[in-house]
Amino acid sequence: MLESKNFIEQIIEEDLKKGLSPSKLKFRFPPEPNGFLHIGHVKAICINFSLAKRYNAPIVLRFDDTNPEKEEEKYIQAIKKDVSWLGFDWDEERYASDYFETLYNWAVDLIKKGKAYIDSQSSEEIAEQKGTPTRPGFNSPHRNRLAEENLDLFNKMKDGAFDEGTHVLRAKIDMSSTNMLMRDPVIYRVLKKSHPRTKNDWIIYPMYDWAHGESDYIEQISHSLCTLEFEPHRELYDWFLDQVFEANKIRPKQREFARLNLSHTITSKRKLMHLVDKGHVSGWDDPRMPTVSGLKRRGYPPSALVSFVKTAGVAKRENVIEASLLEFCAREELNKSSKRAMVVLDPLKITITNYPEGQTEHISSENNPEDPESDFREIPFSRELFIEREDFKPEANRKFFRLKLGKEVRLKSAYIIRANEAVYNDNQEIIEVKCTYDPLSKSGSGTEESQRKVKGTLHWVSKKQAFPIEVREYDRLFLHPSPSTAKNNDELSQMLNPNSKKITKAFAEPSLKSSKPGNRYQFQRKGYFVVDKDTTPDQIVFNKTVGLRDNWKNS
Ligand code: ATP
Ligand code: MG
């Protein structure tokens, strides 16, 4: 089948037509290990890994670890775990820090060629001289230092003779370029910080632009795909490549695609870190977080995340995707794959007065009607049951297809019951409903009564055998539809939804006793739920992934 090609695939096809050998295609996904991956990264992961798969080309997982102030080993581990969980394998694991020696030597070459110099001004002075997009910058007083002096100073920088912020190495390009990034960008700075991998070997670190393109070149990446904010960096990317490029090598090509933005949430590690640091969430994997680990803990299957970013598409223009699309993709997936179970979240006792006291029978119910190979499970049924409090009203209009006095409903997979009397406590609250059942109406028993149509079907559990579970339900983390517009962290905090988490005790059918963290279920008529890692031998904890779009049709 011919699939339509997105604009990146078209670029690659063009390059192949122009003579690039398919065996030279190579891609990379280059996260900075300064936080956990979020749903935006899933887009970049899918783009790069899908291209590798489509063209049978290798792919590198490269950690862009050039800023030891923010990077940590724990983020490296978390990123690897998340990419694997999403279902992707990489051919090579690399680190920009693997290339520190090469990058340093190339910087020395730049100095020797008169294309880089040490600037001994403060960062404020340098920024001041940069100019503005409409006003050219002016030259640093150190711009014409001789190569020898520059080499000597660069060596001293490397050996620790200078404090942070006192000296930087700058590329000598053009202080009047219309592209501000070309105005003698800084390529090395002093950072007296231990690095997660190189420890204390280095105290000078390359800047992003110098490290990124050159790492692509070292790895011989054919297409270096990044988000649109890097478009102005492309000119610098190419300038840096020109300095080291040798004939017969692959010259990596930077191309940009639009970021994925999701409504009602943020996709920025820095801002997500703020939520973690301030305790607005329990951690990076809080089920309300748009991180891969948060979505996983919330119960999203990896296939739903992948199908979500595929549906959102690859484009050149920024847009905001509605969070409801992500929920839609989750439902589609979960409907196919989750086992069904009955859980009553807000119990109301019903007593079936014509059902023998002390008797229990076992009702057979299909685990997943969407799965042709589904098996069945047994659910105990007895005289005292729980139904959902909201499923009973003494009186209601014709549109209330649930239980009301004098009317019938079916209990899912079991019998038709009729409500006869509501029992109240002193506060006029209903504490019990007395019902009768039709013994011939059992689902699947083949009798005429079992075929009888009644309007509503309710889920239920048997009071004696049901066991308590903790259910955590979530709402959007932010009330504001676009929290990324917050100007600062305080404003961001104010956009939070104060009621985004609700914890309840619910009653579950006994088959759920054997469920394990990560197991996903559809709680019938209630939504999709997953067992949380906070589960203990005494208490099973469920997270609500997403609600059902519709309640059941009549069964
Ligand atoms: P953040 O601002 O969240 O830290 P980043 O771009 O700094 O994001 P990196 O770890 O540097 O994060 O990104 C790794 C790759 O993922 C880059 O190629 C980047 O362009 C891409 N990426 C990051 N955020 C998004 C997003 N929202 N949509 C698509 N791709 C993204
Ligand atoms: Mg970054």
Side-chain angles (χ1 to χ4, degrees):
M1 196 181 77
L2 248 172
E3 273 180 67
S4 67
K5 296 194 170 67
N6 64 40
F7 82 97
I8 296 174
E9 289 160 343
Q10 286 169 12
I11 291 170
I12 294 171
E13 294 292 327
E14 277 298 307
D15 289 338
L16 293 175
K17 265 193 227 147
K18 283 188 211 146
L20 176 68
S21 160
S23 67
K24 299 288 184 197
L25 288 175
K26 191 171 179 184
F27 304 94
R28 93 285 174 261
F29 171 63
E32 183 180 358
N34 61 348
F36 281 56
L37 297 179
H38 51 62
I39 186 73
H41 292 112
V42 179
K43 176 173 177 178
I45 292 169
C46 282
I47 288 177
N48 287 296
F49 280 84
S50 306
L51 285 170
K53 192 162 174 222
R54 178 168 189 149
Y55 292 102
N56 199 16
I59 178 151
V60 179
L61 173 62
R62 183 203 313 143
F63 291 95
D64 199 349
D65 56 347
T66 54
N67 183 357
E69 282 185 320
K70 296 193 183 142
E71 294 154 5
E72 289 182 45
E73 178 64 26
K74 69 172 182 200
Y75 299 132
I76 294 176
Q77 296 311 327
I79 289 169
K80 283 165 59 170
K81 204 168 139 198
D82 286 350
V83 176
S84 293
W85 178 75
L86 285 167
F88 298 108
D89 293 325
W90 50 94
D91 299 287
E92 297 171 22
E93 178 180 328
R94 303 273 180 244
Y95 296 80
S97 57
D98 295 341
Y99 314 132
F100 279 172
E101 191 72 38
T102 308
L103 294 171
Y104 173 78
N105 290 331
W106 281 343
V108 167
D109 290 344
L110 275 190
I111 295 174
K112 286 183 184 159
K113 286 192 268 179
K115 290 189 176 182
Y117 61 95
I118 300 289
D119 200 336
S120 313
Q121 302 181 95
S122 69
S123 56
E124 292 77 20
E125 284 167 315
I126 293 175
E128 177 59 34
Q129 293 159 9
K130 269 243 152 146
T132 67
T134 50
R135 181 168 53 82
F138 49 92
N139 291 349
S140 157
H142 305 126
R143 199 172 198 259
N144 291 323
R145 273 181 169 151
L146 296 175
E148 231 161 277
E149 188 187 353
N150 284 320
L151 283 175
D152 179 51
L153 289 168
F154 194 39
N155 259 324
K156 287 189 171 136
M157 254 174 89
K158 176 174 171 265
D159 293 340
F162 301 132
D163 288 340
E164 287 184 17
T166 58
H167 297 71
V168 290
L169 181 69
R170 296 177 74 179
K172 195 172 185 176
I173 308 180
D174 179 3
M175 288 306 288
S176 58
S177 171
T178 48
N179 182 349
M180 299 270 293
L181 291 165
M182 301 297 280
R183 295 182 187 172
D184 291 9
V186 173
I187 50 181
Y188 268 96
R189 80 277 207 209
V190 176
L191 279 180
K192 297 193 168 168
K193 299 273 165 3
S194 173
H195 183 281
R197 292 179 65 81
T198 60
K199 307 294 175 208
N200 299 317
D201 290 354
W202 294 88
I203 49 171
I204 54 169
Y205 291 94
M207 300 298 285
Y208 169 85
D209 289 292
W210 177 245
H212 200 89
E214 311 311 69
S215 300
D216 286 340
Y217 179 63
I218 294 168
E219 290 164 8
Q220 288 288 277
I221 302 298
S222 60
H223 295 81
S224 175
L225 307 166
C226 56
T227 35
L228 276 179
E229 71 269 23
F230 290 101
E231 203 167 0
H233 293 248
R234 201 204 277 186
E235 194 181 354
L236 184 55
Y237 182 97
D238 287 332
W239 191 91
F240 282 147
L241 275 184
D242 286 339
Q243 311 312 312
V244 297
F245 185 70
E246 288 172 21
N248 302 323
K249 290 264 195 169
I250 288 294
R251 194 186 157 99
K253 198 177 226 187
Q254 177 187 305
R255 289 295 178 268
E256 309 83 15
F257 58 88
R259 287 179 81 85
L260 179 101
N261 303 305
L262 192 60
S263 74
H264 294 277
T265 193
I266 41 179
T267 46
S268 148
K269 278 179 278 179
R270 192 174 48 76
K271 290 181 184 161
L272 292 170
M273 173 95 74
H274 168 75
L275 301 180
V276 175
D277 288 348
K278 287 281 167 236
H280 293 310
V281 293
S282 63
W284 286 96
D285 70 347
D286 185 295
R288 293 164 293 180
M289 289 282 268
T291 49
V292 173
S293 50
L295 292 161
K296 172 184 172 190
R297 192 168 166 196
R298 179 76 173 262
Y300 278 78
S303 53
L305 303 190
V306 171
S307 91
F308 165 69
V309 300
K310 290 208 164 133
T311 311
V314 179
K316 271 193 261 193
R317 192 167 309 155
E318 291 261 344
N319 60 357
V320 179
I321 311 286
E322 284 298 319
S324 56
L325 180 65
L326 180 58
E327 291 171 1
F328 170 83
C329 292
R331 278 190 203 100
E332 288 253 297
E333 205 50 49
L334 291 168
N335 183 40
K336 283 185 259 165
S337 59
S338 340
K339 284 188 175 176
R340 273 53 174 169
M342 290 204 280
V343 171
V344 172
L345 296 175
D346 183 14
L348 172 64
K349 179 180 156 190
I350 66 170
T351 305
I352 300 172
T353 52
N354 62 339
Y355 194 88
E357 258 174 85
Q359 178 174 312
T360 301
E361 69 183 288
H362 290 280
I363 303 281
S364 178
S365 193
E366 197 172 8
N367 279 326
N368 185 355
E370 299 291 321
D371 175 1
E373 308 205 328
S374 163
D375 46 4
F376 287 76
R377 69 190 187 287
E378 304 266 279
I379 311 167
F381 183 92
S382 61
R383 185 180 156 94
E384 292 185 335
L385 308 170
F386 286 137
I387 62 167
E388 213 69 62
R389 184 164 286 278
E390 62 178 17
D391 284 340
F392 173 74
K393 281 187 186 165
E395 284 171 54
N397 67 21
R398 287 191 301 126
K399 289 197 180 129
F400 186 76
F401 294 138
R402 294 175 259 172
L403 192 60
K404 51 191 165 186
L405 289 179
K407 298 288 183 207
E408 289 184 327
V409 290
R410 175 173 290 286
L411 294 178
K412 174 70 185 164
S413 304
Y415 297 96
I416 294 174
I417 58 165
R418 174 190 300 275
N420 302 315
E421 184 194 341
V423 182
Y424 292 81
N425 66 10
D426 294 342
N427 297 326
Q428 288 309 301
E429 292 156 349
I430 299 172
I431 49 166
E432 182 186 353
V433 182
K434 295 199 161 146
C435 303
T436 42
Y437 84 122
D438 175 354
L440 294 175
S441 66
K442 189 168 173 183
S443 289
S445 61
T447 63
E448 210 172 294
E449 284 83 352
S450 72
Q451 318 277 339
R452 191 148 64 79
K453 289 276 174 250
V454 287
K455 276 273 161 62
T457 301
L458 306 184
H459 62 284
W460 54 273
V461 291
S462 172
K463 182 167 173 280
K464 186 158 170 231
Q465 291 86 359
F467 74 106
I469 58 171
E470 179 175 314
V471 171
R472 299 176 181 172
E473 294 178 81
Y474 304 97
D475 198 350
R476 306 232 147 114
L477 187 52
F478 290 95
L479 288 175
H480 199 286
S482 39
S484 58
T485 57
K487 286 186 207 67
N488 51 46
N489 283 340
D490 284 342
E491 212 176 297
L492 187 71
S493 301
Q494 278 158 23
M495 290 175 173
L496 283 162
N497 177 359
N499 302 311
S500 57
K501 183 175 181 181
K502 184 176 129 195
I503 298 181
T504 46
K505 287 269 176 274
F507 288 88
E509 62 167 78
S511 74
L512 285 180
K513 277 187 185 152
S514 58
S515 58
K516 298 278 172 302
N519 289 169
R520 302 186 187 97
Y521 296 90
Q522 183 196 89
F523 289 176
Q524 289 179 297
R525 296 182 63 236
K526 284 289 154 194
Y528 296 98
F529 293 76
V530 64
V531 183
D532 189 72
K533 66 174 190 186
D534 285 349
T535 291
T536 63
D538 305 325
Q539 175 79 95
I540 303 186
V541 178
F542 283 89
N543 293 318
K544 182 169 181 179
T545 310
V546 64
L548 299 171
R549 194 174 357 176
D550 299 316
N551 282 348
W552 286 336
K553 308 271 167 358
N554 305 326
S555 63

